[in-house]
Amino acid sequence: MLSGKRIVLGVTGGIAAYKAVFLLREFQKAGAEVRVTMTPSATRFVGLETFASLSQHEVAVEIFPDDTQSTDWTRHINWGEWADLFVIAPCTANTLSKIASGISDNMLTSTVLAARSPILICPTMDGEMYESPTVTENLKKVQEFGYHVLEPASGFLASGLEGKGRLPEFEDILDKASEIIGSIEGPLKGKKVVVTAGPTREFIDPVRFISNPSSGKMGFAMAEAAKRLGAEVKLVHGPVSVPKPEGIHTTSITSAAELFETVKTHADADVIIMAAAVSDFTPSKTYSHKVKKESGSSSIELSKTTDILAWLGENKKSDQVLIGFAMETEDLIKNAAKKLSKKNADWIIANSISTEGAGFEVDTNHVHLISKDSETEFSGTKQEVAELILGKIFRK
Ligand code: CTP
Protein backbone atom coordinates (compact mmCIF):
# COMPACT_ATOMS: atom_id res chain seq x y z
CA MET A 1 0.00 0.00 0.00
CA LEU A 2 2.86 2.41 0.77
CA SER A 3 4.86 1.43 -2.27
CA GLY A 4 5.55 4.48 -4.44
CA LYS A 5 3.85 6.81 -1.95
CA ARG A 6 5.35 10.09 -0.78
CA ILE A 7 5.54 10.60 2.94
CA VAL A 8 6.59 13.71 4.82
CA LEU A 9 7.83 12.58 8.22
CA GLY A 10 7.55 15.28 10.87
CA VAL A 11 9.84 14.77 13.87
CA THR A 12 9.39 16.80 17.05
CA GLY A 13 11.57 17.20 20.14
CA GLY A 14 10.85 14.20 22.31
CA ILE A 15 13.14 11.34 23.23
CA ALA A 16 11.30 9.09 20.77
CA ALA A 17 12.80 11.26 17.99
CA TYR A 18 15.59 8.67 17.74
CA LYS A 19 12.99 6.04 16.87
CA ALA A 20 11.89 8.18 13.91
CA VAL A 21 15.20 7.25 12.25
CA PHE A 22 14.09 3.60 12.18
CA LEU A 23 10.54 4.56 11.27
CA LEU A 24 11.94 6.38 8.22
CA ARG A 25 13.73 3.15 7.29
CA GLU A 26 10.53 1.12 7.69
CA PHE A 27 8.63 3.48 5.39
CA GLN A 28 11.42 3.16 2.83
CA LYS A 29 11.41 -0.64 3.15
CA ALA A 30 7.68 -0.53 2.38
CA GLY A 31 8.58 1.31 -0.83
CA ALA A 32 7.71 4.87 0.18
CA GLU A 33 9.73 7.98 -0.62
CA VAL A 34 10.29 10.01 2.55
CA ARG A 35 11.22 13.63 3.29
CA VAL A 36 11.84 14.80 6.83
CA THR A 37 10.92 18.01 8.57
CA MET A 38 12.12 18.49 12.16
CA THR A 39 11.24 21.04 14.78
CA PRO A 40 14.25 22.95 16.14
CA SER A 41 14.11 21.03 19.42
CA ALA A 42 14.05 17.67 17.59
CA THR A 43 17.53 18.53 16.25
CA ARG A 44 18.80 18.33 19.85
CA PHE A 45 17.90 14.63 19.90
CA VAL A 46 18.97 13.57 16.39
CA GLY A 47 21.31 15.29 13.94
CA LEU A 48 19.94 16.71 10.72
CA GLU A 49 22.57 14.78 8.80
CA THR A 50 21.18 11.44 9.98
CA PHE A 51 17.79 12.08 8.42
CA ALA A 52 19.29 13.88 5.41
CA SER A 53 21.56 11.01 4.48
CA LEU A 54 18.90 8.36 5.01
CA SER A 55 16.18 10.25 3.14
CA GLN A 56 18.69 11.50 0.55
CA HIS A 57 16.97 14.84 0.71
CA GLU A 58 17.49 18.08 2.59
CA VAL A 59 15.84 18.17 6.01
CA ALA A 60 13.70 21.24 6.55
CA VAL A 61 13.54 22.84 10.01
CA GLU A 62 12.71 26.51 9.48
CA ILE A 63 10.36 28.01 6.92
CA PHE A 64 13.18 30.27 5.81
CA PRO A 65 15.82 28.43 3.84
CA ASP A 66 19.24 28.20 5.55
CA ASP A 67 20.91 29.45 2.41
CA THR A 68 20.29 33.22 2.38
CA GLN A 69 20.72 33.31 -1.41
CA SER A 70 17.91 30.78 -1.86
CA THR A 71 14.56 31.92 -3.18
CA ASP A 72 12.84 28.76 -1.97
CA TRP A 73 10.49 30.56 0.39
CA THR A 74 7.59 28.25 -0.20
CA ARG A 75 8.99 24.88 0.80
CA HIS A 76 6.12 24.26 3.21
CA ILE A 77 3.63 24.77 0.38
CA ASN A 78 5.60 22.56 -1.99
CA TRP A 79 6.08 19.81 0.56
CA GLY A 80 2.43 20.07 1.54
CA GLU A 81 1.48 19.45 -2.06
CA TRP A 82 4.12 16.80 -2.67
CA ALA A 83 3.02 14.48 0.16
CA ASP A 84 0.53 11.64 -0.11
CA LEU A 85 0.64 11.47 3.68
CA PHE A 86 2.13 13.63 6.44
CA VAL A 87 3.10 11.56 9.50
CA ILE A 88 4.13 13.38 12.68
CA ALA A 89 5.95 10.87 14.85
CA PRO A 90 6.77 11.53 17.58
CA CYS A 91 4.45 14.47 18.17
CA THR A 92 5.10 16.30 21.45
CA ALA A 93 2.42 18.02 23.53
CA ASN A 94 3.90 21.35 22.41
CA THR A 95 3.60 20.69 18.67
CA LEU A 96 0.17 19.11 19.20
CA SER A 97 -0.99 22.29 20.91
CA LYS A 98 0.38 24.42 18.04
CA ILE A 99 -1.43 22.24 15.51
CA ALA A 100 -4.64 22.49 17.52
CA SER A 101 -4.36 26.29 17.46
CA GLY A 102 -3.11 26.74 13.91
CA ILE A 103 0.26 28.14 14.94
CA SER A 104 2.77 27.94 12.09
CA ASP A 105 6.10 29.02 13.52
CA ASN A 106 8.37 26.45 11.89
CA MET A 107 8.53 24.28 8.78
CA LEU A 108 6.67 21.36 10.41
CA THR A 109 3.73 23.34 11.75
CA SER A 110 3.48 25.43 8.56
CA THR A 111 3.43 22.29 6.45
CA VAL A 112 0.51 21.03 8.56
CA LEU A 113 -1.49 24.06 7.40
CA ALA A 114 -0.31 23.73 3.80
CA ALA A 115 -0.81 19.96 3.52
CA ARG A 116 -3.31 18.71 0.96
CA SER A 117 -2.69 15.16 2.13
CA PRO A 118 -4.12 13.46 5.20
CA ILE A 119 -2.17 13.97 8.42
CA LEU A 120 -1.37 11.25 10.94
CA ILE A 121 -0.34 12.41 14.41
CA CYS A 122 1.41 10.03 16.82
CA PRO A 123 1.33 11.81 20.20
CA THR A 124 4.27 10.66 22.31
CA MET A 125 4.98 12.01 25.77
CA ASP A 126 5.02 11.13 29.46
CA GLY A 127 1.88 9.41 30.77
CA GLU A 128 0.83 12.29 33.04
CA MET A 129 1.23 14.78 30.21
CA TYR A 130 -0.80 12.57 27.90
CA GLU A 131 -3.64 12.41 30.43
CA SER A 132 -3.61 16.17 31.05
CA PRO A 133 -6.81 18.07 30.20
CA THR A 134 -5.16 20.32 27.60
CA VAL A 135 -3.62 17.41 25.71
CA THR A 136 -6.97 15.58 25.82
CA GLU A 137 -8.70 18.70 24.52
CA ASN A 138 -6.10 19.26 21.79
CA LEU A 139 -6.34 15.64 20.62
CA LYS A 140 -10.10 16.00 20.37
CA LYS A 141 -9.70 19.24 18.43
CA VAL A 142 -7.25 17.89 15.86
CA GLN A 143 -9.48 14.87 15.26
CA GLU A 144 -12.40 17.21 14.69
CA PHE A 145 -10.23 18.94 12.06
CA GLY A 146 -10.06 15.57 10.31
CA TYR A 147 -6.47 14.69 11.27
CA HIS A 148 -5.82 11.08 12.21
CA VAL A 149 -4.44 10.26 15.64
CA LEU A 150 -2.73 7.00 16.55
CA GLU A 151 -2.88 6.51 20.30
CA PRO A 152 0.45 6.01 22.07
CA ALA A 153 1.41 2.60 23.41
CA SER A 154 1.74 1.82 27.12
CA GLY A 155 4.90 0.71 28.84
CA PHE A 156 8.20 1.92 30.23
CA LEU A 157 8.68 5.66 29.62
CA ALA A 158 11.84 7.77 29.42
CA SER A 159 10.96 9.36 32.78
CA GLY A 160 11.39 5.95 34.38
CA LEU A 161 7.65 5.73 35.00
CA GLU A 162 5.24 3.29 33.45
CA GLY A 163 2.27 4.57 31.50
CA LYS A 164 0.70 5.46 28.20
CA GLY A 165 2.86 7.66 26.05
CA ARG A 166 5.32 5.53 24.07
CA LEU A 167 5.62 5.76 20.32
CA PRO A 168 3.51 2.87 18.94
CA GLU A 169 5.26 -0.10 17.29
CA PHE A 170 6.46 0.69 13.75
CA GLU A 171 4.17 -2.02 12.42
CA ASP A 172 1.15 -0.24 13.93
CA ILE A 173 2.23 3.12 12.49
CA LEU A 174 2.73 1.55 9.04
CA ASP A 175 -0.62 -0.23 9.25
CA LYS A 176 -2.37 3.01 10.13
CA ALA A 177 -0.53 4.89 7.37
CA SER A 178 -1.51 2.17 4.85
CA GLU A 179 -5.11 2.26 6.04
CA ILE A 180 -5.29 6.03 5.59
CA ILE A 181 -3.69 5.98 2.15
CA GLY A 182 -5.76 2.96 1.12
CA SER A 183 -9.01 4.48 2.21
CA ILE A 184 -8.35 7.59 0.18
CA GLU A 185 -7.33 6.14 -3.10
CA GLY A 186 -8.35 2.53 -2.76
CA PRO A 187 -10.08 0.93 -5.72
CA LEU A 188 -12.86 -0.18 -3.35
CA LYS A 189 -13.57 3.32 -2.10
CA GLY A 190 -17.32 3.78 -1.76
CA LYS A 191 -17.99 0.06 -2.30
CA LYS A 192 -19.89 -2.16 0.11
CA VAL A 193 -18.05 -5.39 0.78
CA VAL A 194 -19.44 -8.29 2.80
CA VAL A 195 -17.03 -10.91 4.07
CA THR A 196 -18.06 -14.13 5.81
CA ALA A 197 -15.51 -15.93 7.97
CA GLY A 198 -14.97 -18.78 10.38
CA PRO A 199 -16.88 -21.99 10.96
CA THR A 200 -20.57 -22.61 11.58
CA ARG A 201 -21.93 -24.84 14.35
CA GLU A 202 -24.86 -27.16 13.79
CA PHE A 203 -26.22 -28.22 17.15
CA ILE A 204 -27.36 -31.79 17.78
CA ASP A 205 -28.35 -31.03 21.35
CA PRO A 206 -27.35 -28.25 23.80
CA VAL A 207 -23.87 -29.73 24.34
CA ARG A 208 -22.92 -31.20 20.96
CA PHE A 209 -22.50 -29.77 17.50
CA ILE A 210 -21.08 -30.45 14.04
CA SER A 211 -18.38 -27.99 12.97
CA ASN A 212 -14.91 -27.70 11.42
CA PRO A 213 -11.51 -26.31 12.47
CA SER A 214 -11.77 -22.99 10.60
CA SER A 215 -10.12 -20.23 12.68
CA GLY A 216 -11.57 -17.31 10.72
CA LYS A 217 -8.06 -15.93 10.11
CA MET A 218 -8.26 -15.91 6.30
CA GLY A 219 -11.70 -14.28 6.27
CA PHE A 220 -10.57 -11.67 8.79
CA ALA A 221 -7.50 -10.95 6.63
CA MET A 222 -9.77 -10.54 3.58
CA ALA A 223 -11.96 -8.10 5.52
CA GLU A 224 -8.93 -6.06 6.60
CA ALA A 225 -7.48 -6.05 3.09
CA ALA A 226 -10.82 -4.86 1.66
CA LYS A 227 -10.90 -2.08 4.24
CA ARG A 228 -7.37 -0.99 3.31
CA LEU A 229 -8.56 -0.71 -0.29
CA GLY A 230 -11.15 1.78 0.90
CA ALA A 231 -14.24 -0.44 1.16
CA GLU A 232 -17.03 -0.17 3.68
CA VAL A 233 -16.74 -3.68 5.10
CA LYS A 234 -19.28 -5.80 6.94
CA LEU A 235 -17.84 -8.95 8.45
CA VAL A 236 -20.18 -11.83 9.33
CA HIS A 237 -18.41 -14.52 11.30
CA GLY A 238 -19.00 -17.80 13.06
CA PRO A 239 -17.59 -18.73 16.50
CA VAL A 240 -13.88 -17.82 16.48
CA SER A 241 -11.26 -17.12 19.11
CA VAL A 242 -8.97 -14.81 17.14
CA PRO A 243 -9.34 -11.07 17.91
CA LYS A 244 -11.81 -9.23 15.71
CA PRO A 245 -10.30 -6.75 13.26
CA GLU A 246 -10.44 -3.17 14.50
CA GLY A 247 -12.66 -0.63 12.83
CA ILE A 248 -14.76 -3.18 10.95
CA HIS A 249 -18.48 -3.72 11.52
CA THR A 250 -18.96 -7.33 12.67
CA THR A 251 -21.99 -9.59 13.13
CA SER A 252 -21.61 -12.96 14.79
CA ILE A 253 -23.67 -15.95 13.79
CA THR A 254 -23.64 -19.60 14.87
CA SER A 255 -25.35 -21.84 12.33
CA ALA A 256 -25.35 -22.05 8.53
CA ALA A 257 -29.03 -21.06 8.57
CA GLU A 258 -28.25 -17.90 10.58
CA LEU A 259 -25.38 -17.09 8.25
CA PHE A 260 -27.70 -17.45 5.26
CA GLU A 261 -30.32 -15.14 6.83
CA THR A 262 -27.66 -12.49 7.59
CA VAL A 263 -26.01 -12.71 4.15
CA LYS A 264 -29.41 -12.35 2.48
CA THR A 265 -29.86 -8.95 4.15
CA HIS A 266 -26.60 -7.81 2.50
CA ALA A 267 -27.17 -9.49 -0.85
CA ASP A 268 -27.03 -6.16 -2.68
CA ALA A 269 -23.39 -5.51 -1.66
CA ASP A 270 -20.92 -4.63 -4.42
CA VAL A 271 -18.60 -7.44 -3.43
CA ILE A 272 -19.32 -10.59 -1.41
CA ILE A 273 -16.47 -12.76 -0.20
CA MET A 274 -17.60 -16.15 1.12
CA ALA A 275 -14.61 -17.20 3.22
CA ALA A 276 -16.74 -18.94 5.86
CA ALA A 277 -16.35 -22.68 6.20
CA VAL A 278 -20.09 -23.36 6.07
CA SER A 279 -21.30 -26.72 7.26
CA ASP A 280 -22.88 -28.60 4.33
CA PHE A 281 -25.12 -30.62 6.65
CA THR A 282 -27.15 -29.96 9.76
CA PRO A 283 -28.93 -32.45 12.04
CA SER A 284 -32.53 -32.95 10.87
CA LYS A 285 -33.61 -32.83 14.50
CA THR A 286 -32.09 -30.71 17.29
CA TYR A 287 -32.83 -31.91 20.80
CA SER A 288 -33.62 -29.29 23.44
CA HIS A 289 -32.17 -31.55 26.15
CA LYS A 290 -28.88 -33.41 26.35
CA VAL A 291 -29.25 -36.79 24.64
CA LYS A 292 -28.23 -39.50 27.11
CA LYS A 293 -26.04 -42.25 25.72
CA GLU A 294 -28.33 -45.02 26.92
CA SER A 295 -31.33 -43.62 25.04
CA GLY A 296 -29.54 -41.99 22.03
CA SER A 297 -29.33 -43.56 18.61
CA SER A 298 -25.89 -44.37 17.17
CA SER A 299 -26.62 -42.43 13.97
CA ILE A 300 -27.67 -38.85 13.30
CA GLU A 301 -29.98 -37.97 10.46
CA LEU A 302 -28.67 -34.98 8.54
CA SER A 303 -30.19 -32.58 6.04
CA LYS A 304 -28.32 -30.37 3.58
CA THR A 305 -27.89 -26.67 4.41
CA THR A 306 -28.46 -24.03 1.75
CA ASP A 307 -25.39 -23.45 -0.39
CA ILE A 308 -25.15 -19.71 0.25
CA LEU A 309 -22.57 -19.01 -2.45
CA ALA A 310 -24.68 -20.86 -5.03
CA TRP A 311 -27.75 -18.90 -3.89
CA LEU A 312 -25.83 -15.63 -4.28
CA GLY A 313 -24.68 -16.79 -7.72
CA GLU A 314 -28.27 -17.43 -8.78
CA ASN A 315 -29.42 -14.04 -7.45
CA LYS A 316 -26.39 -12.05 -8.54
CA LYS A 317 -27.03 -8.39 -9.30
CA SER A 318 -25.27 -6.78 -12.24
CA ASP A 319 -21.70 -5.58 -11.56
CA GLN A 320 -21.61 -7.51 -8.30
CA VAL A 321 -18.36 -9.39 -7.67
CA LEU A 322 -18.78 -12.77 -6.04
CA ILE A 323 -15.72 -14.42 -4.53
CA GLY A 324 -15.78 -17.90 -3.06
CA PHE A 325 -13.26 -20.25 -1.52
CA ALA A 326 -12.65 -23.90 -2.24
CA MET A 327 -11.02 -26.13 0.31
CA GLU A 328 -9.91 -29.38 -1.30
CA THR A 329 -7.80 -32.39 -0.50
CA GLU A 330 -7.37 -33.58 -4.10
CA ASP A 331 -7.77 -32.29 -7.69
CA LEU A 332 -7.56 -28.75 -6.37
CA ILE A 333 -7.77 -26.79 -9.62
CA LYS A 334 -10.30 -29.08 -11.28
CA ASN A 335 -12.65 -29.06 -8.29
CA ALA A 336 -12.25 -25.32 -7.77
CA ALA A 337 -13.01 -24.61 -11.44
CA LYS A 338 -16.15 -26.74 -11.11
CA LYS A 339 -17.28 -24.70 -8.09
CA LEU A 340 -16.61 -21.47 -10.00
CA SER A 341 -19.02 -22.35 -12.79
CA LYS A 342 -21.55 -24.31 -10.74
CA LYS A 343 -21.98 -21.51 -8.19
CA ASN A 344 -21.73 -18.70 -10.78
CA ALA A 345 -18.88 -17.04 -8.84
CA ASP A 346 -16.46 -14.58 -10.47
CA TRP A 347 -13.44 -15.80 -8.54
CA ILE A 348 -12.60 -18.86 -6.48
CA ILE A 349 -9.70 -18.90 -4.07
CA ALA A 350 -8.61 -22.51 -3.93
CA ASN A 351 -6.46 -23.99 -1.24
CA SER A 352 -5.51 -27.49 -0.40
CA ILE A 353 -5.26 -28.62 3.19
CA SER A 354 -2.63 -31.13 2.01
CA THR A 355 -0.22 -28.26 1.17
CA GLU A 356 2.18 -27.33 3.96
CA GLY A 357 1.54 -23.85 5.38
CA ALA A 358 -1.99 -23.70 3.97
CA GLY A 359 -5.50 -24.33 5.23
CA PHE A 360 -7.16 -24.31 8.62
CA GLU A 361 -5.75 -22.57 11.69
CA VAL A 362 -2.23 -21.75 10.38
CA ASP A 363 -1.11 -18.12 9.85
CA THR A 364 0.09 -18.66 6.29
CA ASN A 365 -1.62 -19.72 3.10
CA HIS A 366 -0.87 -20.90 -0.40
CA VAL A 367 -3.73 -20.31 -2.80
CA HIS A 368 -4.69 -20.41 -6.45
CA LEU A 369 -6.94 -17.54 -7.53
CA ILE A 370 -9.13 -18.80 -10.33
CA SER A 371 -11.49 -17.00 -12.68
CA LYS A 372 -12.99 -18.33 -15.87
CA ASP A 373 -9.94 -17.19 -17.84
CA SER A 374 -7.08 -16.91 -15.36
CA GLU A 375 -5.23 -18.74 -12.64
CA THR A 376 -2.67 -17.10 -10.31
CA GLU A 377 -0.81 -18.52 -7.33
CA PHE A 378 -0.07 -16.57 -4.17
CA SER A 379 1.62 -17.51 -0.91
CA GLY A 380 2.63 -15.72 2.27
CA THR A 381 0.97 -14.78 5.51
CA LYS A 382 -2.82 -14.75 5.34
CA GLN A 383 -2.67 -10.92 5.43
CA GLU A 384 -0.22 -10.82 2.51
CA VAL A 385 -2.21 -13.35 0.52
CA ALA A 386 -5.45 -11.42 1.13
CA GLU A 387 -3.85 -8.18 -0.11
CA LEU A 388 -2.40 -9.89 -3.17
CA ILE A 389 -5.75 -11.46 -4.04
CA LEU A 390 -7.74 -8.24 -3.74
CA GLY A 391 -4.96 -6.31 -5.48
CA LYS A 392 -5.13 -8.72 -8.42
CA ILE A 393 -8.94 -8.54 -8.60
CA PHE A 394 -9.49 -4.83 -8.04
CA ARG A 395 -6.34 -2.89 -8.94
CA LYS A 396 -6.19 -1.94 -12.59
N1 CTP B 1 -20.41 -22.45 0.85
C1 CTP B 1 -21.62 -21.84 1.07
N2 CTP B 1 -22.65 -22.52 1.64
C2 CTP B 1 -22.50 -23.81 1.97
C3 CTP B 1 -21.28 -24.47 1.73
C4 CTP B 1 -20.23 -23.74 1.17
O1 CTP B 1 -21.77 -20.65 0.76
N3 CTP B 1 -23.51 -24.46 2.51
C5 CTP B 1 -19.34 -21.66 0.21
C6 CTP B 1 -18.09 -21.52 1.04
O2 CTP B 1 -18.14 -20.38 1.87
C7 CTP B 1 -17.01 -21.39 -0.03
C8 CTP B 1 -17.55 -22.21 -1.17
O3 CTP B 1 -18.95 -22.34 -0.95
O4 CTP B 1 -16.87 -20.06 -0.47
C9 CTP B 1 -16.97 -23.59 -1.32
O5 CTP B 1 -17.02 -24.28 -0.12
P1 CTP B 1 -16.43 -25.75 0.01
O6 CTP B 1 -16.70 -26.27 1.38
O7 CTP B 1 -15.02 -25.81 -0.51
O8 CTP B 1 -17.27 -26.55 -1.06
P2 CTP B 1 -18.70 -27.14 -1.06
O9 CTP B 1 -19.52 -26.36 -2.02
O10 CTP B 1 -19.23 -27.26 0.32
O11 CTP B 1 -18.45 -28.57 -1.72
P3 CTP B 1 -17.67 -29.85 -1.16
O12 CTP B 1 -17.75 -29.76 0.35
O13 CTP B 1 -18.44 -30.96 -1.74
O14 CTP B 1 -16.27 -29.73 -1.68
Side-chain angles (χ1 to χ4, degrees):
M1 188 57 74
L2 296 178
S3 178
K5 298 294 180 227
R6 296 159 161 187
I7 295 176
V8 170
L9 176 60
V11 184
T12 71
I15 179 62
Y18 82 91
K19 293 187 185 172
V21 176
F22 301 97
L23 179 60
L24 159 63
R25 274 305 208 202
E26 292 300 319
F27 280 137
Q28 288 175 326
K29 273 193 231 159
E33 190 184 343
V34 187
R35 288 184 190 175
V36 179
T37 170
M38 303 170 80
T39 59
S41 53
T43 63
R44 299 183 63 163
F45 288 93
V46 185
L48 284 176
E49 291 77 1
T50 307
F51 283 118
S53 55
L54 291 175
S55 66
Q56 299 188 328
H57 200 280
E58 62 161 343
V59 173
V61 178
E62 302 294 350
I63 308 176
F64 308 109
D66 300 333
D67 175 0
T68 50
Q69 300 304 308
S70 171
T71 53
D72 190 8
W73 300 101
T74 54
R75 283 189 303 181
H76 56 298
I77 309 290
N78 301 342
W79 284 38
E81 254 172 349
W82 176 83
D84 292 313
L85 179 67
F86 186 7
V87 180
I88 306 170
C91 183
T92 57
N94 184 40
T95 293
L96 174 70
S97 127
K98 289 182 186 177
I99 295 171
S101 331
I103 293 172
S104 52
D105 61 344
N106 57 40
M107 173 71 181
L108 190 154
T109 50
S110 304
T111 307
V112 167
L113 297 186
R116 286 171 176 248
S117 72
I119 297 175
L120 170 60
I121 298 172
C122 301
T124 308
M125 61 199 76
D126 193 67
E128 295 301 320
M129 292 175 77
Y130 183 69
E131 302 295 344
S132 73
T134 44
V135 167
T136 306
E137 184 64 25
N138 287 334
L139 284 170
K140 198 169 148 242
K141 254 192 184 175
V142 297
Q143 287 178 90
E144 283 165 2
F145 297 160
Y147 303 155
H148 302 265
V149 171
L150 185 61
E151 277 196 24
S154 298
F156 187 67
L157 300 166
S159 59
L161 301 170
E162 295 260 338
K164 196 170 183 182
R166 288 167 61 87
L167 188 72
E169 297 299 324
F170 299 140
E171 198 187 334
D172 295 333
I173 300 176
L174 262 72
D175 277 354
K176 187 75 188 169
S178 303
E179 181 193 315
I180 296 168
I181 286 185
S183 65
I184 290 159
E185 326 177 40
L188 291 177
K189 188 168 163 50
K191 302 279 182 205
K192 289 196 174 122
V193 175
V194 173
V195 182
T196 68
T200 61
R201 284 182 184 173
E202 311 302 322
F203 276 87
I204 300 162
D205 70 13
V207 296
R208 303 177 182 99
F209 56 78
I210 299 169
S211 192
N212 59 68
S214 168
S215 62
K217 285 179 187 169
M218 192 62 212
F220 282 21
M222 294 297 287
E224 284 178 315
K227 183 170 178 246
R228 271 193 292 277
L229 293 186
E232 187 196 308
V233 182
K234 291 215 180 332
L235 175 62
V236 187
H237 65 86
V240 289
S241 51
V242 289
K244 290 182 194 168
E246 269 178 41
I248 291 181
H249 179 280
T250 57
T251 307
S252 64
I253 53 88
T254 305
S255 65
E258 267 182 76
L259 179 62
F260 183 38
E261 286 312 309
T262 311
V263 169
K264 270 200 281 187
T265 64
H266 300 301
D268 64 340
D270 299 291
V271 180
I272 303 183
I273 304 173
M274 284 295 302
V278 190
S279 178
D280 291 325
F281 294 94
T282 190
S284 305
K285 178 175 167 56
T286 306
Y287 294 87
S288 57
H289 59 274
K290 185 181 173 195
V291 177
K292 304 305 276 178
K293 57 177 174 283
E294 288 81 23
S295 59
S297 149
S298 56
S299 60
I300 306 165
E301 197 189 319
L302 300 172
S303 344
K304 271 197 181 161
T305 58
T306 306
D307 189 320
I308 304 169
L309 182 60
W311 183 90
L312 289 167
E314 268 168 41
N315 296 281
K316 195 154 99 182
K317 67 165 200 175
S318 63
D319 297 336
Q320 187 174 51
V321 179
L322 207 49
I323 305 170
F325 276 72
M327 172 70 88
E328 308 291 343
T329 51
E330 58 253 312
D331 293 332
L332 178 67
I333 307 296
K334 207 170 117 206
N335 283 330
K338 260 194 216 161
K339 282 178 191 171
L340 180 83
S341 75
K342 202 168 146 211
K343 303 193 188 200
N344 193 27
D346 300 289
W347 301 88
I348 289 282
I349 300 153
N351 54 3
S352 159
I353 44 169
S354 330
T355 309
E356 204 184 315
F360 289 132
E361 292 175 307
V362 291
D363 289 329
T364 51
N365 213 347
H366 181 107
V367 306
H368 295 251
L369 176 66
I370 297 169
S371 71
K372 67 177 185 321
D373 45 26
S374 72
E375 188 208 315
T376 321
E377 262 183 87
F378 299 115
S379 55
T381 63
K382 286 186 171 168
Q383 280 73 19
E384 286 163 349
V385 169
E387 289 204 356
L388 291 168
I389 291 169
L390 295 188
K392 162 85 183 160
I393 298 177
F394 296 107
R395 282 193 191 282
K396 294 290 165 257

